[in-house]
Amino acid sequence: MVDTKTASAASASSRQEETPPVRLLGSGPRRWRWLVLAVGMMTVGGLGGILAMEQMDERQGVLVADSDLSAGHVVTAQDLRVARIAVADGVSYVAAERLDEAVGQTLTLPVTQGGVLPEVALGADAEFPEQDRAVVGVALRAGRFPSSMVSGTAASVVVDPSDGSDSGAQVYRALVRNVTPSTAEDGSVTLELVVASNDAADIASAASAERISLVQVNPRGGS
């Protein structure tokens, strides 16, 4: 006679041995791989934050023009504003904390709106115009100059021959310091030109005889 209790116990023991062990979620080598990956991502993120902060720290306050400023202009506090930018090595600029120092000085170079005020553009009243430069005033009728000409434009002054011939025109380099439209509303203007001292007399004489025209040129070269 078979003992049913003993058979049942043996069957249950056999089933327990055949059941595979249950692995807990997150245990074993896979869990460590995820932990290592998470730590690595946190480290990279931290380094990225540090690099971003370092880049921000490289920005500095500089003075920029709040409008187009011509050479010879006396700087006022309203002409300038402060901007925080990263300045490349070798770029001339005036630091924001020198605002009071910049006010009252005369620009020796034109500065366009939004442009960084360069250190080399500041000078005392006695330094403008420079020793080998002169300022000449000329009146021009419409058609004798480009309508796009503004303060700071590099130009060539073309002087027609005094005998009225088509050949032998003289060309001089100039910088437009100021442009003032005529009150006559006929398109004519009065301009102040910064020219070489040796050319000033010839240009002034030709201007009084209405024998000059202006051509806009690239400021880096050309005639």
Side-chain angles (χ1 to χ4, degrees), residues 6-207:
T6 302
S8 297
S11 177
S13 176
S14 177
R15 286 198 301 271
Q16 289 178 357
E17 291 177 355
E18 293 175 357
T19 303
V22 178
R23 175 174 291 182
L24 296 177
L25 183 63
S27 63
R30 182 176 297 178
R31 178 188 180 192
W32 287 107
R33 286 198 296 270
W34 281 107
L35 288 174
V36 171
L37 178 60
V39 172
M41 293 179 65
M42 293 174 62
T43 303
V44 171
L47 290 175
I50 293 173
L51 292 175
M53 290 299 296
E54 288 181 349
Q55 291 178 350
M56 290 182 63
D57 290 341
E58 291 177 357
R59 297 187 304 171
Q60 50 193 306
V62 300
L63 297 179
V64 300
D66 206 27
S67 60
D68 290 336
L69 305 177
S70 61
H73 176 77
V74 178
V75 178
T76 68
Q78 290 71 35
D79 293 329
L80 305 173
R81 59 183 175 85
V82 176
R84 291 194 61 83
I85 61 175
V87 182
D89 292 339
V91 175
S92 178
Y93 67 93
V94 180
E97 56 267 23
R98 295 179 57 195
L99 175 61
D100 292 341
E101 179 184 340
V103 171
Q105 296 202 52
T106 302
L107 294 179
T108 59
L109 297 172
V111 184
T112 58
Q113 183 177 12
V116 175
L117 179 67
E119 175 79 29
V120 294
L122 293 179
D125 290 344
E127 295 176 350
F128 184 84
E130 297 170 293
Q131 187 173 2
D132 60 344
R133 312 295 286 177
V135 180
V136 178
V138 301
L140 296 179
R141 292 181 284 107
R144 287 278 187 170
F145 62 94
S147 59
S148 59
M149 190 159 284
V150 295
S151 299
T153 300
S156 288
V157 182
V158 181
V159 178
D160 298 332
S162 57
D163 59 5
S165 64
D166 295 333
S167 60
Q170 298 293 318
V171 180
Y172 306 91
R173 293 299 305 272
L175 178 70
V176 178
R177 181 187 178 217
N178 196 18
V179 180
T180 305
S182 171
T183 56
E185 298 183 356
D186 58 356
S188 61
V189 296
T190 300
L191 302 97
E192 290 183 352
L193 304 178
V194 181
V195 300
S197 298
N198 294 338
D199 300 334
D202 291 340
I203 294 174
S205 176

